[in-house]
Amino acid sequence: MEPSSPRKPHLSSLPLDSENKATEFHPFSTSPPHMLAFHLAWLSLFSCFFSTFSIPPLIPIMRQNLNLSAADVGAAGTAAFVGSIFSRLAMGPVCDLVGPRIASAALSLITAPIVLATAFISSPTSFILVRFLIGFCLANFVANQFWMSSLFSTSVVGLANGFAAGWANMGAGVAQLTMPLLYSFVKSFNVPENTAWRVIFVVPATFQAITAIMVLIYGKELPCKDSVKVSNKPKESFLRLLFNGLMNYRGWILGLIYGCCFGVEMTMDNIVAQYFYYRFGVNLQVAGTIAACFGLTNWFARPMGGVVSDQMAKLFGVRGRLWGLWAVLTVAGLLCVLMGRANSVGGSIGVMCMFSVFVQAASGLTFGIVPFVSKRSLGVISGMTGSGGTVGAVVTQMLLFSGDKFSTQTSISVMGLMMIICTLPISLIYFPQWGGMFCTPNETSIDEEDYSLLV
């Protein structure tokens, strides 16, 4: 699976394999086309996360102006995640058809006006509807990971996926930090409270549209496709690709696992500011800053997961990637349990920061495995896994954080227990050519063509 003869054609400053995928990854380089596409991809997804999570830190203010009940807030949080489930599942096949660049930019441009429409909501119903529709833009994540997997070789794909998604996910943390500050800034000009929070939504909407246009103008997909080795087998239909992806049990397990890491992360982004605001009595700006700490650790945590995945693969092969994912996600679950039991502001913040590092690293480790599941249905598998993340967010939001059935701290601890239990199916993932957590590879070798058709 590793590239055989790195080369440096004129089309890139990076060494490439036979498929023109980069065999090295330099996150602080803007070298076209690979590294430039990397920066455009994460920045575009960053804007989508910023848009989606620009509402939660303002909910204490919006509740007063819109007369929202606790049930309305919970339903809106669930709606935001429901909106991204089917869009993520659909985004995978769309990427297979038109490519990740077009798919990403089109989705961002379509959803940017919906973000702006937040300024015009006037009732609980319109609040829930807008959150549902904004959730669609999170499907950009699937295009992001598909793009990285098509640009970077298997030796660095975990690292590339981790950095691209990790830096993008910081958009949630930046939104938690900046939206309360923007609100305070606008209000300082004697703007009425009910107007101040509406005006600032022009910022995420404009940002999202600009990044989408940049992707269209400057982004490139896999270069020189004509030079890529062509399979002797006939090209398969869209429905066949979709069927093969959906029939791959590994994709379903990875979807479950991703629901237990990224799904939990999105749930925390949705409730953590309110948690500190109501439980410990901190003001809106402090609550937003604390919540931002959770999201901003993505700057290094998720990429670190990609690094761990690639390093474990160098030492133990794909089996190492599986063991690494299980260990990191289990620790994340334990820290989540502990966070719900912490009774002081300082203790809660400290455990939350450690928890954020491990749960985000687990997301990076998950997508360090995705590219190995099926070459021909990569988009479908990426969509299934990404959708699993939002399904996990919906389930945890509905079961644990909707209404007042449980206290928030109790719900956080229960969520940690769910994470620990749901790590067990990782042991069921088996690759004939690489093995599984407890199983060695099949003695019969599988060549590259067989791998591309793996079901």
Side-chain angles (χ1 to χ4, degrees):
M1 289 306 304
E2 300 299 327
S4 56
S5 56
R7 51 196 180 86
K8 289 188 179 182
H10 67 280
L11 52 85
S12 176
S13 61
L14 300 174
L16 308 179
D17 64 11
S18 61
E19 294 182 313
N20 285 326
K21 294 183 179 183
T23 59
E24 294 180 5
F25 179 78
H26 305 294
F28 300 106
S29 167
T30 57
S31 171
H34 297 79
M35 297 315 305
L36 180 59
F38 158 75
H39 287 291
L40 290 171
W42 80 257
L43 188 61
S44 178
L45 182 57
F46 178 100
S47 70
C48 292
F49 273 100
F50 187 95
S51 295
T52 302
F53 292 100
S54 59
I55 295 177
L58 299 176
I59 283 179
I61 303 301
M62 298 172 74
R63 283 188 69 172
Q64 299 174 16
N65 297 148
L66 299 173
N67 296 317
L68 301 175
S69 66
D72 293 329
V73 173
T78 301
F81 300 143
V82 170
S84 66
I85 292 176
F86 298 106
S87 58
R88 283 191 173 203
L89 187 58
M91 180 59 84
V94 170
C95 287
D96 283 323
L97 287 177
V98 303
R101 181 179 68 92
I102 299 296
S104 170
L107 180 65
S108 291
L109 289 173
I110 290 171
T111 53
I114 300 172
V115 177
L116 185 60
T118 307
F120 304 101
I121 58 179
S122 58
S123 66
T125 301
S126 59
F127 175 69
I128 294 171
L129 178 62
V130 165
R131 291 219 67 188
F132 169 74
L133 294 175
I134 291 177
F136 278 70
C137 71
L138 288 182
N140 205 336
F141 169 80
V142 176
N144 174 285
Q145 298 292 275
F146 186 102
W147 203 352
M148 294 305 98
S149 296
S150 65
L151 285 172
F152 294 94
S153 174
T154 55
S155 59
V156 293
V157 70
L159 186 61
N161 279 337
F163 267 94
W167 286 6
N169 286 4
M170 286 195 302
V174 173
Q176 302 271 15
L177 179 65
T178 59
M179 292 302 282
L181 294 177
L182 287 172
Y183 166 76
S184 298
F185 175 74
V186 173
K187 197 178 175 186
S188 68
F189 291 96
N190 296 320
V191 176
E193 183 179 90
N194 191 39
T195 302
W197 67 261
R198 297 176 185 274
V199 170
I200 61 177
F201 280 97
V202 70
V203 175
T206 304
F207 181 32
Q208 185 171 312
I210 290 174
T211 56
I213 293 171
M214 290 173 61
V215 166
L216 283 175
I217 296 175
Y218 301 108
K220 300 290 182 184
E221 294 179 16
L222 188 65
C224 295
K225 290 185 178 180
D226 293 340
S227 65
V228 178
K229 183 176 65 176
V230 179
S231 171
N232 292 325
K233 297 190 178 183
K235 187 176 180 180
E236 293 181 279
S237 67
F238 165 74
L239 290 178
R240 186 66 179 171
L241 290 172
L242 179 62
F243 175 79
N244 287 325
L246 293 176
M247 290 300 292
N248 195 316
Y249 79 93
R250 303 170 189 84
W252 292 102
I253 292 178
L254 289 175
L256 170 66
I257 298 304
Y258 202 56
C260 295
C261 48
F262 184 70
V264 166
E265 180 187 344
M266 285 204 298
T267 300
M268 288 298 295
D269 283 329
N270 214 31
I271 60 96
V272 69
Q274 301 168 65
Y275 174 63
F276 282 95
Y277 181 85
Y278 289 113
R279 186 180 183 196
F280 297 108
V282 300
N283 63 41
L284 190 67
Q285 286 73 31
V286 172
T289 302
I290 295 172
C293 293
F294 183 87
L296 291 176
T297 53
N298 267 296
W299 187 82
F300 68 91
R302 184 155 182 158
M304 184 177 68
V307 172
V308 171
S309 184
D310 288 341
Q311 289 301 314
M312 290 291 286
K314 289 180 181 178
L315 295 173
F316 308 106
V318 173
R319 299 178 70 187
R321 294 184 189 269
L322 296 171
W323 274 105
L325 173 58
W326 174 82
V328 171
L329 188 53
T330 298
V331 173
L334 292 171
L335 288 169
C336 187
V337 172
L338 185 59
M339 178 182 170
R341 298 178 64 85
N343 294 317
S344 65
V345 178
S348 258
I349 294 174
V351 176
M352 180 198 72
C353 289
M354 290 189 291
F355 167 53
S356 68
V357 170
F358 278 88
V359 75
Q360 291 159 10
S363 294
L365 279 149
T366 303
F367 267 86
I369 298 170
V370 166
F372 297 90
V373 175
S374 176
K375 258 191 177 181
R376 64 175 171 179
S377 297
L378 175 60
V380 179
I381 298 299
S382 297
M384 291 169 63
T385 306
S387 296
T390 47
V391 170
V394 169
V395 171
T396 54
Q397 185 79 35
M398 290 183 63
L399 290 181
L400 302 176
F401 299 100
S402 294
D404 53 4
K405 192 173 184 179
F406 303 103
S407 66
T408 304
Q409 55 266 38
T410 298
S411 296
I412 291 174
S413 291
V414 172
M415 184 168 63
L417 292 174
M418 289 172 58
M419 292 170 64
I420 295 171
I421 294 171
C422 289
T423 60
L424 300 179
I426 299 175
S427 63
L428 301 178
I429 297 178
Y430 176 75
F431 297 98
Q433 67 274 52
W434 301 303
M437 286 180 64
F438 301 103
C439 304
T440 57
N442 192 321
E443 294 182 359
T444 305
S445 62
I446 298 179
D447 61 25
E448 182 72 13
E449 189 65 34
D450 290 329
Y451 163 62
S452 71
L453 301 178
L454 180 63
V455 176

